[in-house]
Amino acid sequence: MRPRRPRTLTAAALAVSLAVAAVFPAAAAAAPSTARSDAEPQRAQLRQLARKLVDAGAPGVIVRVDDGRGRPIEIAEQAPWSRRDHRLTAGDEFRMGSNTKTMVATLVLQLAAEGRLALTDPVDKWLPGKVPDGEAITLRMLLNHTSGLFDYTEDPALRPSILGTDRRRWTSAQLLALGVKHDPLFAPGTEWSYSNTDYAALGAVLERVTGASLAELVRDRIARPLGLKRTYYATDSTWRGPHAHGYERDAAHMPPQVPAGFRHFAGQRRHGHVDVSGNDPGWGGAAGAVVSTAQDWARFSTALMSGELLPAAQLAQMRTTVPVDPRQPDGPGYGLGIQTGATPCGTFWGHDGGIPGYLTTNVTDRAGGRTATVLVSTELWAEFDADPKIAKAAGALQSAVICAMFGKPVPAAAHAG
């Protein structure tokens, strides 16, 4: 979700796209692809980086890398104290947070391909009177975060739900109303700013156009057709299978950079942490309520980028980006529910997601033949830049994973980190 710090691939992959260039030598771009005989050394290197991230304070880490040339690398590492709750595996379910936006955008584009809506439709066509200046805000602007709408996750009324102390069920309409209570940030289409309210609006539009719930749409249009048996839109706090436990520091151990209002999470206390796995992600809505696994998400990414889920015209629309930083017009770009960024090892497409207990980066190549996922089972450190030690170790792992996905060697600089 990334509520307080609205960045894309937000603290993770956008940072990776910048950090890789800083951490890795430029020569990595020209490095030859690794042969399959190098798979085991590469696995060992990634495992070492995952262990360093756990040693830096992450309760658990899942890594999955598929370079399209053989058996994927799958790694799960966890802090010894967390094993009393659950033995982490690479196949565990976890909360996807804002990666949900890629699925929601896919649903919108499927309906566009069917002629049931158009990206040029003003939001007022589908939600009359629900969005200020709704005649000027198009569905495309919602999809690529150029609407100017205030991010509802910044409203203090949502904080108890984020912390897990309020278990109310939020609807798309309610989340949208929370966001539009605030003045817009800029005129529609004039700037870029990441806003979860954009996707709350899209969730309400999808429900209006189809008459189906978001859970039904994810199930019937994506999960079932692709055979994603561990992927679903969460309608409450329960899990459907073995899942990664997510944690945040308890109030006594929370880094000082974290504001007082975000220091008291609901959940069972464990070794200076709070297990937030049982907290309801419903406040994420269409912006962040999907649950999946690394393997399922890889299948989704491959299907999406290869054209299995969308016709060529809609996939091209999804890949049409706007700069996330006006000072870098050729830098990282945000498309329709997906982001792209260049690294010395290759140009990735994907998204990230942050929701208490879970920070996930999912990336793929342009054609979907290569995929990678990194899950860190704690998230608040990234919201407030509250733990430089974890941030450094996470950046090194994420950067190395991207290079491994592109079949490039894990540079020695990553190990030095």
Side-chain angles (χ1 to χ4, degrees):
M1 292 293 296
R2 323 291 317 154
R4 269 76 53 197
R5 299 186 62 102
R7 297 172 285 180
T8 51
L9 273 190
T10 352
L14 174 56
V16 167
S17 70
L18 304 175
V20 173
V23 174
F24 295 172
S33 296
T34 56
R36 295 317 299 165
S37 61
D38 292 339
E40 285 308 313
Q42 188 176 68
R43 186 190 307 271
Q45 292 168 339
L46 293 175
R47 185 176 294 280
Q48 180 184 18
L49 290 170
R51 286 175 178 163
K52 284 186 177 182
L53 180 49
V54 170
D55 291 343
V61 177
I62 291 173
V63 173
R64 187 180 194 276
V65 181
D66 185 349
D67 66 4
R69 296 180 297 130
R71 185 176 178 181
I73 293 172
E74 295 185 330
I75 295 167
E77 292 289 333
Q78 69 186 122
W81 61 263
S82 71
R83 291 175 186 154
R84 62 184 290 189
D85 295 329
H86 171 66
R87 184 60 67 111
L88 188 68
T89 75
D92 282 345
E93 296 175 3
F94 47 87
R95 305 208 186 281
M96 301 302 292
S98 280
N99 293 284
T100 300
K101 293 179 174 68
T102 308
M103 279 195 170
V104 169
T106 301
L107 294 171
V108 173
L109 287 164
Q110 285 179 341
L111 295 179
E114 295 164 13
R116 299 176 68 179
L117 54 75
L119 301 186
T120 54
D121 286 346
V123 66
D124 217 41
K125 175 178 178 178
W126 299 107
L127 305 174
K130 300 299 184 182
V131 178
D133 210 9
E135 283 291 343
I137 297 174
T138 65
L139 299 187
R140 185 191 302 277
M141 292 175 190
L142 297 174
L143 287 162
N144 67 12
H145 297 300
T146 58
S147 71
L149 294 179
F150 179 89
D151 188 340
Y152 74 78
T153 63
E154 300 271 7
D155 191 300
L158 198 71
R159 191 172 302 166
S161 295
I162 294 173
L163 295 173
T165 57
D166 183 350
R167 292 180 174 267
R168 81 176 74 177
R169 290 300 303 173
W170 291 89
T171 66
S172 295
Q174 290 169 334
L175 295 170
L176 173 60
L178 197 63
V180 300
K181 285 196 316 184
H182 301 266
D183 291 337
L185 305 181
F186 48 80
T190 61
E191 297 183 39
W192 184 91
S193 182
Y194 191 85
S195 175
N196 291 293
T197 305
D198 292 334
Y199 278 74
L202 289 166
V205 169
L206 285 169
E207 292 164 340
R208 176 71 179 274
V209 173
T210 66
S213 70
L214 292 172
E216 290 169 332
L217 291 171
V218 169
R219 180 194 67 198
D220 296 340
R221 286 178 165 265
I222 296 176
R224 280 184 177 170
L226 297 181
L228 309 183
K229 297 181 179 179
R230 309 280 300 282
T231 298
Y232 52 95
Y233 182 95
T235 56
D236 55 32
S237 62
T238 60
W239 301 80
R240 297 184 183 176
H243 58 276
H245 283 234
Y247 302 87
E248 298 297 344
R249 298 282 181 88
D250 63 25
H253 298 88
M254 193 72 76
Q257 297 92 330
V258 177
F262 292 95
R263 303 177 74 86
H264 297 274
F265 282 87
Q268 301 241 337
R269 269 53 182 170
R270 292 280 190 272
H271 199 78
H273 292 74
V274 180
D275 185 341
V276 299
S277 310
N279 295 350
D280 193 337
W283 58 271
V290 164
V291 173
S292 190
T293 67
Q295 183 176 2
D296 268 12
W297 205 265
R299 170 73 178 110
F300 166 66
S301 295
T302 296
L304 176 62
M305 301 303 281
S306 67
E308 186 175 347
L309 286 172
L310 293 175
Q314 280 66 43
L315 186 55
Q317 293 278 2
M318 175 175 267
R319 291 190 184 123
T320 301
T321 64
V322 294
V324 303
D325 186 344
R327 298 168 298 180
Q328 299 182 50
D330 297 324
Y334 199 94
L336 306 186
I338 197 166
Q339 182 177 330
T340 187
T343 78
C345 290
T347 297
F348 65 77
W349 292 82
H351 214 288
D352 87 336
I355 197 165
Y358 304 89
L359 181 62
T360 310
T361 303
N362 289 297
V363 292
T364 182
D365 63 1
R366 184 177 178 85
R370 304 169 184 265
T371 61
T373 292
V374 177
L375 165 72
V376 185
S377 62
T378 186
E379 188 260 351
L380 207 66
W381 59 272
E383 295 289 356
F384 301 103
D385 294 332
D387 196 320
K389 191 175 179 182
I390 290 181
K392 182 178 180 181
L397 175 61
Q398 291 161 345
S399 300
V401 162
I402 288 180
C403 284
M405 182 185 79
F406 282 111
K408 305 291 177 64
V410 176
H415 299 290

